[in-house]
Amino acid sequence: MTAERTAAAVSAWVPGRSMGLKLLLVCGLALLMSIPALFVFALLSDRTNRAEEVVRDVGGLVGGQQTFLGPVLAVPYAAPPLEKGQPPAAGVFVIFPTQGDAKVTAHSELRRRSLFEVPVYQADIAFDAAFDLTGAAGQAPLGAVLDWNRAEFLVGASDARGAKADVTLQAAGRSLPMSPASVLSESALNAPEQKSRSVQDRGLRFFGASAAGVAAPDAKFNASAKLKFTGAERLAILAFGKTTTLDAKGDWPHPSFDGGFLPEKRQVAADGFTAHWSVPFIARGVPAQGTSDALTRLGPTALGVSFVEPADPYQSVARSLKYALMFVGLVFLAFFLFETAQGKRVHPAQYVLIGLAQIVFYLLLLSIAEHLGFDGAFIIAASATVGLISLYAGWVFESRRQGVIALAAFSLLYALIYVLMRLEDLALLVGALASFAAIAAVMYFTRRIDWYGAAQPPARVKESV
């Protein structure tokens, strides 16, 4: 009987026979919590893809991300065949204005579908171009004969579905009606920022107006065009002149300036933005005239402004998930310290429950953020999670005081998560320093522990004689 009682006591003690092994087990359980965190990340990815799909659908109905080209001159030509017996070569010779100016005024709004919002805009665009054709014909392909009677003024847009009014153009004091261009129908833009978009969205759709009687060798004249278009998310103007300027203003309070050149001047306020670009000929990197291939080289010169949603809940939740393992580990370390201080063992299953409560925090955060935004969702999800695990700490250690200590500690921990989400550029530095401080605290509070000793030594059993 004595041997049986001794064996039972030893058996009950063996799983936690040393604090060192218990700490290794706690660390292993923290790593194990990465598995359910990956499932939450997969769910987040699915919701993000759904949001992007809605953006594409809604944006497509109003024109999507629009890119515009101001007036350029396109002159068809015929050239001698490259080899004997072949038909004459034909092409289009493009002449850019010596000076191109654009003014854009954008009015924005949010369109909602289900839980998702898409920023759309209506833009009024005015182009002014000064042409000087002196010597331009001499840059045409060798032997090419320019057909000035078929010359066209071209204006381009990414998606004609966004047009809200007919495009009007005036040149040399004459008003010229515009219709789908005949000399060129579409040109692909090989801009780096557009590689992820579909082939259909990369092309420019051209509107043309006859330049016969206006365009001629060595002629000088001005041309202007006005467009009214809708679009979504982004608006860009190509540097269509040898020297190009752009003045843009809008009522969107969170613009992001992008493309090949950043504005020289910008001002962003709660009621909107203004910006000014100036691109000199040498910076544009495209010749003043050339074959139609010159149009495909304008993509990297886009002067763009994106209508950014500053409080994207999916992006914020994704950033918080990247720190999931660190914060699960910190909570586990806190419970381990409570365990050593109280002398009461915490079962591995209880650690798993604590870890699952933290994973559910991210589910709450994601689901509530879709309705209330990230800030409100974080307050609700964090309050619920901190309250639950603090209450659980009081139950496990059978101490109301320990529950209050846990509430204070975990409140600080989740406050740190929120700060990391808002620091952005400094998030990695602050997270690294916080992790270092946590490890240092664990080292300090466990400095007197005998890691080889028993976590909870078995009670002595009196031998029966």
Side-chain angles (χ1 to χ4, degrees):
M1 185 68 179
T2 302
E4 291 178 358
R5 292 173 61 191
T6 303
V10 171
S11 177
W13 168 66
V14 164
R17 62 181 178 274
S18 78
M19 294 299 290
L21 288 178
K22 184 59 176 289
L23 180 59
L24 291 177
L25 177 61
V26 169
C27 293
L29 290 175
L31 289 174
L32 188 64
M33 288 296 103
S34 299
I35 297 176
L38 290 176
F39 285 106
V40 177
F41 204 89
L43 177 61
L44 172 64
S45 178
D46 177 71
R47 301 298 292 177
T48 302
N49 291 336
R50 170 59 179 156
E52 292 174 351
E53 181 182 344
V54 170
V55 169
R56 287 193 298 269
D57 290 345
V58 175
L61 296 175
V62 296
Q65 299 186 14
Q66 293 278 24
T67 300
F68 299 97
L69 173 72
V72 300
L73 186 63
V75 186
Y77 69 85
L82 298 177
E83 296 182 8
K84 194 173 182 179
Q86 291 184 344
V92 176
F93 186 61
V94 176
I95 303 174
F96 296 102
T98 55
Q99 176 69 41
D101 301 313
K103 289 182 171 58
V104 176
T105 302
H107 302 281
S108 56
E109 64 174 304
L110 283 174
R111 297 281 179 86
R112 175 181 286 273
R113 176 181 291 182
S114 184
L115 298 174
F116 311 106
E117 294 181 335
V118 183
V120 301
Y121 60 83
Q122 178 173 296
D124 294 301
I125 307 165
F127 290 114
D128 289 297
F131 287 90
D132 184 354
L133 306 187
T134 304
Q139 304 300 318
L142 185 64
V145 178
L146 299 178
D147 188 353
W148 292 99
N149 290 326
R150 294 174 53 213
E152 280 189 335
F153 290 107
L154 298 181
V155 173
S158 297
D159 195 335
R161 294 177 300 174
K164 292 302 171 186
D166 290 332
V167 181
T168 60
L169 183 138
Q170 289 189 338
R174 296 165 54 183
S175 181
L176 304 175
M178 301 203 80
S179 59
S182 58
V183 295
L184 281 178
S185 58
E186 181 175 324
S187 171
L189 295 176
N190 298 318
E193 67 271 17
Q194 294 175 324
K195 288 183 178 178
S196 63
R197 299 169 61 189
S198 67
V199 174
Q200 181 180 4
D201 287 340
R202 281 204 304 266
L204 275 182
R205 278 59 174 177
F206 292 113
F207 311 102
S210 175
V214 177
D218 300 329
K220 297 181 181 180
F221 53 87
N222 293 331
S224 62
K226 292 185 178 181
L227 295 78
K228 184 185 290 289
F229 269 73
T230 59
E233 297 187 281
R234 183 175 186 263
L235 183 154
I237 303 293
L238 298 175
F240 66 100
K242 287 178 59 178
T243 299
T244 304
T245 65
L246 167 63
D247 289 290
K249 65 179 181 179
D251 56 5
W252 187 256
H254 310 289
S256 174
F257 303 104
D258 52 39
F261 301 91
L262 294 178
E264 291 183 342
K265 300 177 183 178
R266 71 185 77 178
Q267 185 174 357
V268 180
D271 58 349
F273 68 91
T274 59
H276 172 78
W277 286 261
S278 180
V279 182
F281 179 45
I282 193 172
R284 190 179 79 144
V286 179
Q289 55 270 319
T291 62
S292 58
D293 292 341
L295 291 173
T296 68
R297 299 173 58 185
L298 288 180
T301 71
L303 316 176
V305 55
S306 294
F307 297 78
V308 177
E309 276 276 28
D312 183 354
Y314 301 107
Q315 185 179 18
S316 298
V317 174
R319 291 182 60 224
S320 65
L321 263 173
K322 293 176 182 178
Y323 295 93
L325 178 60
M326 181 180 78
F327 286 104
V328 169
L330 290 177
V331 171
F332 279 14
L333 283 178
F335 265 85
F336 179 77
L337 290 177
F338 296 158
E339 184 176 350
T340 58
Q342 295 293 313
K344 181 177 177 60
R345 294 170 55 194
V346 179
H347 195 276
Q350 294 173 303
Y351 278 99
V352 171
L353 289 175
I354 297 165
L356 290 176
Q358 292 179 270
I359 298 302
V360 172
F361 159 76
Y362 291 102
L363 284 176
L364 289 172
L365 182 61
L366 174 60
S367 59
I368 300 174
E370 289 185 327
H371 298 271
L372 301 181
F374 181 78
D375 291 341
F378 190 92
I379 293 174
I380 295 173
S383 299
T385 305
V386 168
L388 177 61
I389 58 179
S390 300
L391 187 61
Y392 191 62
W395 292 338
V396 169
F397 297 107
E398 300 177 349
S399 169
R400 182 177 299 177
R401 177 176 177 274
Q402 197 63 48
V404 173
I405 294 175
L407 179 63
F410 298 146
S411 296
L412 289 175
L413 181 62
Y414 275 78
L416 176 61
I417 297 178
Y418 183 80
V419 170
L420 287 178
M421 297 307 98
R422 287 292 171 258
L423 285 178
E424 296 185 357
D425 294 339
L426 296 177
L428 180 60
L429 175 61
V430 174
L433 293 176
S435 299
F436 183 84
I439 295 300
V442 172
M443 289 179 175
Y444 177 79
F445 288 115
T446 60
R447 67 191 184 281
R448 301 188 186 280
I449 290 180
D450 179 6
W451 295 103
Y452 289 103
Q456 185 176 335
R460 291 185 175 273
V461 181
K462 289 185 178 181
E463 292 190 1
S464 302
V465 180

